[in-house]
């Protein structure tokens, strides 16, 4: 629920204004006092607008008076009353008109209030103006008008820097406008003020990665995982960036840790198998991990293909040791896995090449010719 600011100290401002001031200023101050009472009594918007109308008429006359037109009180009161109309008037055109009046009056009040005698009223007006900017910014955001939303919400976020949702929305607008440095600034503002949303950390890491600031991207994902332990998307991004940057030891630990809590992730089993196969050179563990992935998804192409590669590696080792039985068993397993993989993705060239290699070893020349024709058709 939006909060319209009306500080109780405004009454003091009203009562302390010298009685020697113009009568129109007195009328406007009386309108302020009545408005405060109507707020306390929870009067409806129609009644409040009627009360404000009396004050607006008086202020308009005060603006034309040679004496009171240069008083900061005149413009402070106008700024406040206009900002209040902008918030509660259901007539959008009228609300927008007074929204502009409020901004213009506030600028003039700040300029004239050299002794800061109207600080409370100016602050209250500023608060209400920013509420209106936020409302219009959110409306523009929902309509995908990111230029307008960014301009309005950025100003409000700068006024309320600890509002993490607001800062995040500004960042999303900037990102949509491809203003990535600004997006990063506001995502970081949200993060530094306590935001914990996993997608926030993903967004920051992605921007860092695009700027080739890899270590900052990794650190950001690690921070996100501390607040959102084992979050699947964060974990996936973290492992991928480690693999992309050849930080295999950290990647292996991350996968192992995740598998302790997520035993139904085919991707984690696949990645663990891949790391064991290619970094640890532990083919047996890799095979088991790929098989686990296939238990989750029987038709998981990547696992089928890599499992076949693992079987071929084992077969080659058996051949070196002149273990014909082991060689034959693993070649047959590799063939079975590759045929399943080929059924799933008939256009995968490496699958076809490995099948050609297997059938060449088996002296199945008919199959070799058939697959070579397919390969040439790709």
């Amino acid at each position: 629920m939006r909060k319209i600011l009306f500080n109780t100290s405004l009454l003091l401002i009203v009562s302390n204004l010298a009685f020697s001031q113009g009568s129109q200023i007195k009328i406007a101050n009386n309108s302020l006092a009545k408005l405060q009472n109507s707020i306390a009594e929870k009067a409806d918007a129609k009644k409040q607008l009627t009360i404000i109308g009396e004050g607006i008429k008086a202020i308009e006359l005060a603006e034309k008076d040679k004496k009171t037109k240069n008083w900061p009180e005149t413009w402070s009161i106008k700024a406040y009353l206009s900002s209040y109309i902008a918030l509660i008037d259901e007539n959008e055109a009228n609300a927008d008109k007074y929204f502009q009046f409020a901004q213009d009056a506030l600028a003039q009040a700040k300029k004239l209030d050299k002794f800061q005698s109207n600080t409370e009223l100016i602050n209250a007006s500023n608060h209400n103006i920013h509420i209106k900017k936020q409302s219009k910014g959110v409306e523009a955001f929902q309509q995908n008008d990111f230029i307008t939303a960014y301009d309005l919400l950025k100003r409000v976020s700068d006024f309320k820097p600890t509002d993490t949702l607001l800062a995040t929305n500004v960042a999303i607008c900037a990102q949509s406008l491809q203003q990535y440095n600004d997006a990063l600034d506001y995502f970081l503002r949200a993060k530094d003020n306590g935001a914990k949303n996993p997608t926030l950390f993903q967004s920051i890491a992605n921007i860092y990665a695009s700027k080739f600031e890899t270590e900052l991207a990794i650190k950001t994902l690690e921070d996100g995982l501390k607040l959102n332990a084992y979050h699947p998307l964060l974990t996936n991004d973290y492992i991928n960036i480690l693999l992309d940057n050849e930080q295999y030891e950290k990647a292996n630990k991350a996968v192992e840790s995740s598998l302790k809590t997520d035993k139904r992730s085919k991707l984690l089993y696949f990645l663990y198998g891949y790391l064991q196969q290619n970094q640890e050179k532990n083919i047996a563990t890799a095979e088991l991990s790929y098989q686990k992935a296939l238990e989750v998804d029987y038709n998981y192409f990547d696992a089928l293909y890599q499992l076949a590669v693992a079987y071929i590696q084992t077969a080659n080792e058996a051949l070196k040791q002149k273990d014909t039985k082991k060689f034959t068993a693993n070649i047959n397993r590799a063939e079975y896995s590759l045929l399943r993989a080929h059924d799933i993705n008939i256009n995968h060239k490496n699958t076809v090449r490995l099948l050609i290699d297997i059938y060449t070893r088996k002296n199945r020349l008919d199959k070799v010719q058939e697959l070579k024709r397919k390969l040439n058709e790709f």
Side-chain angles (χ1 to χ4, degrees), residues 312-329:
I312 291 171
Q313 288 174 312
T314 302
N316 289 337
E317 286 299 314
L319 193 60
K320 290 178 184 178
Q321 298 166 9
K322 298 182 179 180
D323 188 338
T324 306
K325 185 176 180 181
K326 186 175 182 181
F327 168 80
T328 303

Side-chain angles (χ1 to χ4, degrees), residues 271-291:
L271 289 174
Y272 187 66
Y274 188 85
L275 287 166
Q276 290 295 314
Q277 182 179 14
N278 293 283
Q279 297 305 314
E280 303 297 325
K281 307 302 180 185
N282 190 339
I283 305 302
T285 301
E287 289 176 8
L288 289 173
S289 193
Y290 294 139
Q291 288 165 1

Side-chain angles (χ1 to χ4, degrees), residues 40-53:
E41 294 169 358
K42 299 181 179 179
D44 59 30
K46 185 177 180 181
K47 182 176 180 180
Q48 290 181 9
L49 287 170
T50 300
I51 294 169
I52 294 171

Side-chain angles (χ1 to χ4, degrees), residues 17-283:
L17 286 173
F19 287 102
S20 59
Q21 293 178 344
S23 60
Q24 300 305 325
I25 295 295
K26 294 178 185 177
I27 293 171
N29 277 312
N30 285 336
S31 178
L32 281 174
K34 290 178 182 178
L35 178 60
Q36 184 182 25
N37 288 333
S38 71
I39 293 171
E41 294 169 358
K42 299 181 179 179
D44 59 30
K46 185 177 180 181
K47 182 176 180 180
Q48 290 181 9
L49 287 170
T50 300
I51 294 169
I52 294 171
E54 298 170 3
I56 288 292
K57 288 178 184 177
I59 283 299
E60 287 175 347
L61 292 172
E63 285 181 63
K64 298 172 184 177
D65 186 274
K66 291 183 180 179
K67 182 180 180 183
T68 55
K69 71 177 182 180
N70 292 318
W71 287 4
E73 292 87 347
T74 301
W75 298 99
S76 299
I77 293 170
K78 180 176 181 179
Y80 181 77
L81 292 177
S82 297
S83 71
Y84 203 93
I85 293 173
L87 289 176
I88 69 170
D89 196 337
E90 294 181 357
N91 184 319
E92 188 174 344
N94 198 54
D96 286 344
K97 180 179 75 172
Y98 277 95
F99 177 48
Q100 188 59 54
F101 286 169
Q103 293 177 85
D104 295 341
L106 180 62
Q108 186 69 359
K110 288 180 177 179
K111 179 180 176 182
L112 295 172
D113 194 36
K114 297 178 181 178
F115 300 102
Q116 299 183 344
S117 56
N118 296 274
T119 301
E120 294 290 345
L121 201 54
I122 286 172
N123 287 344
S125 303
N126 198 26
H127 178 89
N128 289 347
I129 286 169
H130 278 93
I131 290 176
K132 184 66 176 180
K133 285 180 179 177
Q134 184 169 352
S135 175
K136 292 175 76 66
V138 169
E139 182 181 355
F141 183 88
Q142 292 171 342
Q143 294 174 354
N144 294 329
D145 180 1
F146 296 116
I147 294 175
T148 302
Y150 176 68
D151 179 60
L152 291 168
L153 296 179
K154 179 178 183 294
R155 298 183 190 191
V156 182
S157 181
D158 293 344
F159 179 67
K160 300 194 292 183
T162 59
D163 188 322
T164 58
L165 179 59
L166 188 55
T168 300
N169 286 339
V170 174
I172 293 170
C173 290
Q175 202 170 35
S176 299
L177 298 172
Q178 298 184 356
Q179 298 177 15
Y180 297 112
N181 287 335
D182 291 336
L184 180 61
D185 288 342
Y186 283 91
F187 276 134
L188 287 173
R189 173 180 287 182
K191 173 180 173 288
D192 293 343
N193 281 285
K196 299 178 181 180
N197 193 307
T199 57
L200 171 71
F201 290 89
Q202 282 185 285
S203 298
I204 294 171
N206 286 337
I207 294 174
Y208 277 140
S210 71
K211 292 158 67 73
F212 303 104
E213 297 183 50
T214 303
E215 291 306 315
L216 285 174
I218 291 172
K219 177 66 166 56
T220 297
L221 292 169
E222 288 173 344
D223 289 343
L225 285 167
K226 287 176 184 176
L227 297 171
N228 303 275
Y230 305 112
H231 187 276
L233 297 179
L234 274 178
T235 299
N236 186 55
D237 283 4
Y238 181 54
I239 293 169
N240 282 336
I241 197 170
L242 292 174
L243 292 173
D244 290 343
N245 291 278
E246 300 181 354
Q247 296 191 25
Y248 299 119
E249 185 176 348
K250 290 179 76 172
N252 197 49
K253 288 180 180 178
V255 174
E256 282 183 340
S257 178
S258 298
L259 280 172
K260 291 176 183 177
T261 58
D262 186 356
K263 300 184 183 299
R264 296 296 299 169
S265 172
K266 65 179 183 181
L267 178 60
L268 285 175
Y269 282 121
F270 172 78
L271 289 174
Y272 187 66
Y274 188 85
L275 287 166
Q276 290 295 314
Q277 182 179 14
N278 293 283
Q279 297 305 314
E280 303 297 325
K281 307 302 180 185
N282 190 339
I283 305 302

Side-chain angles (χ1 to χ4, degrees), residues 354-365:
L354 287 178
L355 281 169
I356 290 172
D357 180 61
I358 287 173
Y359 288 129
T360 299
R361 294 187 189 204
K362 289 188 169 187
N363 203 29
R364 294 285 305 275
L365 300 181

